[in-house]
């Protein structure tokens, strides 16, 4: 098997287990985002793939070659990897060109001018930046230089540890696009560690959700958003409305939002947890669905988020919150609703239920 293959890797620091049996395959030439909350073990996994840390058990293979496993450890410099950190870690005293040149194998450095120019173009940096020093660049430009340097030796595998997290929102989107394009052009197998779900969903070919030192689910971005394996993964990959419910006949579930169709049926036994995405909620004045009262409104430009108190207490003169189930809905930015409005809420499309 080519690509990056991690099998049953465990790692503890002292008595604290950090990786509890991580298994993950990143197909060749694709970008896999490892998404998880802070402290779940993402960086540790990346460092083990790179060879900066060693697994207690399990194996790592890069393009068919075992680089870590029982009785076998290949040092980082012989693994054919590039590593890009949050800070990029450029040499401050070297120009952009010299920084990138440093990434080339020693024997190619003397004749490296054309290659440096090509690498800068790959990461979407203007040629005139070649003579600047890192402090004369924006954070996003610095990250692109660092990526150009990491790509210089043409690594088969590139490891990216939160490379965009220190960039402000405007720079981040541009830099993400440039990096994704450069990685695709390089054809490297990439592992991107991030806690930013929007970044993971936008950039990756597959998203691996990591939780408590294990991979909870690996899937294409659309699939993992639509069909998360459990409510925890659902909430990690997107905003989630999670409600208590029970099955109500074949393929249907009853909850505070009414009786709703299921994407796939659940066994007819006991309570379930119902997942609805905020964009599935349709808010009207006298439409179908259940009554609700608008509790809060948060304007975000193209859209806005409202908190709705469902059912109980609505219309009885109190503020509709006590004892009511509260859900968040996403509406178009020009939606004409304000706190205190009485509305109706229905659900567009089918929902997912999990047995509890
Ligand atoms: N060298 C080390 N010695 C002891 N504990 C460590 C070491 N490296 C990491 N840890 C611990 O292992 C856990 C996982 O750390 P890791 O950096 O892998 O998480 P992460 O998911 O990358 O988090 P973040 O997004 O905050 O970087 C943390 O509790 C951390 O404190």
């Amino acid at each position: 098997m080519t690509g990056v293959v991690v099998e049953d890797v465990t790692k503890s620091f002292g008595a604290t287990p950090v990786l509890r049996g991580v298994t993950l395959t990143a197909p060749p030439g694709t970008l896999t985002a490892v998404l998880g909350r802070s402290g779940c073990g993402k960086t540790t996994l990346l460092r083990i793939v790179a060879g900066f840390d060693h697994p207690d058990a399990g194996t790592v293979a890069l393009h068919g070659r075992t680089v870590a496993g029982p009785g076998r450890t290949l040092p980082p410099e012989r693994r054919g990897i590039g590593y890009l950190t949050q800070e990029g870690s450029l040499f401050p005293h070297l120009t952009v060109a010299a920084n990138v040149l440093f990434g080339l194998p020693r024997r190619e450095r003397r004749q490296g001018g054309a290659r440096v120019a090509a690498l800068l173009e790959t990461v979407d940096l203007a040629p005139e930046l070649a003579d600047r020093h890192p402090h004369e660049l924006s954070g996003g430009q610095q990250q692109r230089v660092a990526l150009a340097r990491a790509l210089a030796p043409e690594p088969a595998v590139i490891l990216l540890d939160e490379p965009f997290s220190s960039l402000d929102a405007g720079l981040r989107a541009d830099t993400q696009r440039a990096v994704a394009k450069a990685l695709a052009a390089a054809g490297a197998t990439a592992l991107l560690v991030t806690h930013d779900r929007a970044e993971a969903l936008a950039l990756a070919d597959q998203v691996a959700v990591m939780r408590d030192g294990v991979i909870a689910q690996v899937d294409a971005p659309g699939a993992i958003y639509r069909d998360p394996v459990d409510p925890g993964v659902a909430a990690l990959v997107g905003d989630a409305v999670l409600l208590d419910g029970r099955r109500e006949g074949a393929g249907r579930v009853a909850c505070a939002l009414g009786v709703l169709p299921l994407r796939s049926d659940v066994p007819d036994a006991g309570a379930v947890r119902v997942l609805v995405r905020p964009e599935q909620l349709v808010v009207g004045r006298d439409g179908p669905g259940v009554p609700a009262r608008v509790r809060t409104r948060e304007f975000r430009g193209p859209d806005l988020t409202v908190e709705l108190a469902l059912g109980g207490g609505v219309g009885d003169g109190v503020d509709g919150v006590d004892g009511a189930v509260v859900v968040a809905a996403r509406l178009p930015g020009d939606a004409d609703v304000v706190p205190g409005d009485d509305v109706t809420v229905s659900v567009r499309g089918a929902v997912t239920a999990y047995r509890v």
Side-chain angles (χ1 to χ4, degrees):
M1 176 70 187
T2 55
V4 176
V5 180
V6 177
E7 268 181 305
D8 211 11
V9 160
T10 59
K11 177 74 180 173
S12 296
F13 290 109
T16 313
V18 174
L19 303 182
R20 300 164 186 264
V22 171
T23 295
L24 175 65
T25 297
T30 65
L31 195 165
T32 297
V34 180
L35 173 68
R37 293 210 164 87
S38 179
C40 73
K42 307 180 296 291
T43 297
T44 303
L45 172 63
L46 215 59
R47 288 176 55 82
I48 284 175
V49 174
F52 303 138
D53 271 329
H54 306 294
D56 298 334
T59 59
V60 177
L62 303 180
H63 290 279
R65 186 166 62 144
T66 300
V67 295
R72 183 169 175 80
T73 303
L74 209 63
E77 65 276 13
R78 293 187 49 209
R79 292 190 181 195
I81 49 152
Y83 200 95
L84 184 61
T85 61
Q86 209 176 91
E87 310 81 27
S89 312
L90 295 175
F91 298 114
H93 62 294
L94 295 181
T95 63
V96 165
N99 263 286
V100 177
L101 209 54
F102 189 83
L104 287 174
R106 198 176 291 270
R107 62 185 178 283
E108 292 175 31
R109 284 186 201 159
R110 204 186 283 274
Q111 309 284 324
R115 180 95 178 99
V116 169
L119 282 161
L120 291 181
E121 195 182 336
T122 305
V123 297
D124 253 349
L125 278 182
E128 54 270 25
L129 297 183
D131 296 328
R132 293 210 194 157
H133 283 80
H135 73 272
E136 297 168 307
L137 302 176
S138 74
Q141 289 168 333
Q142 288 180 30
Q143 280 305 70
R144 294 189 211 185
V145 176
L147 178 67
R149 185 179 64 184
L151 290 173
E154 300 185 328
V157 174
I158 182 127
L159 306 172
L160 307 118
D161 191 358
E162 306 254 10
F164 313 110
S165 60
S166 61
L167 307 178
D168 63 51
L171 262 186
R172 194 180 308 151
D174 277 352
T175 312
Q176 283 171 342
R177 265 191 293 275
V179 166
K181 200 175 119 211
L183 290 174
T189 308
L191 281 187
L192 165 75
V193 155
T194 180
H195 62 263
D196 180 337
R197 63 201 190 194
E199 177 175 305
L201 294 175
L203 298 186
D205 297 297
Q206 65 171 11
V207 177
V209 169
M210 193 163 178
R211 189 174 52 195
D212 299 331
V214 295
I215 302 292
Q217 185 173 1
V218 186
D219 238 321
I224 207 164
Y225 186 80
R226 258 189 330 270
D227 290 313
V229 289
D230 60 39
V233 172
L236 256 170
V237 297
D239 290 336
V241 175
L242 291 162
L243 300 167
D244 292 330
R246 68 189 141 69
R247 188 170 178 272
E248 181 92 0
R252 283 145 49 99
V253 69
C255 64
L257 284 165
V259 176
L260 307 172
L262 283 169
R263 288 174 56 77
S264 33
D265 209 355
V266 286
D268 189 15
V272 295
R273 198 90 172 124
V274 181
L275 163 68
V276 184
R277 292 294 185 191
E279 62 273 18
Q280 288 184 272
L281 299 178
V282 180
V283 176
R285 289 290 167 189
D286 293 302
V290 298
R293 179 169 291 173
V294 179
R295 206 179 142 197
T296 63
R297 175 184 190 274
E298 203 174 285
F299 181 63
R300 296 162 189 265
D303 54 28
L304 57 86
T305 301
V306 287
E307 275 186 335
L308 304 162
L310 302 178
V314 172
D316 62 3
V318 298
D319 72 358
V321 175
D322 293 338
V325 173
V326 176
V327 300
R330 196 170 306 135
L331 308 178
D334 60 358
D336 178 25
V337 288
V338 292
D341 280 0
D342 287 326
V343 294
T344 51
V345 193
S346 57
V347 176
R348 197 158 42 87
V351 300
T352 303
Y354 303 95
R355 286 180 67 188
V356 289

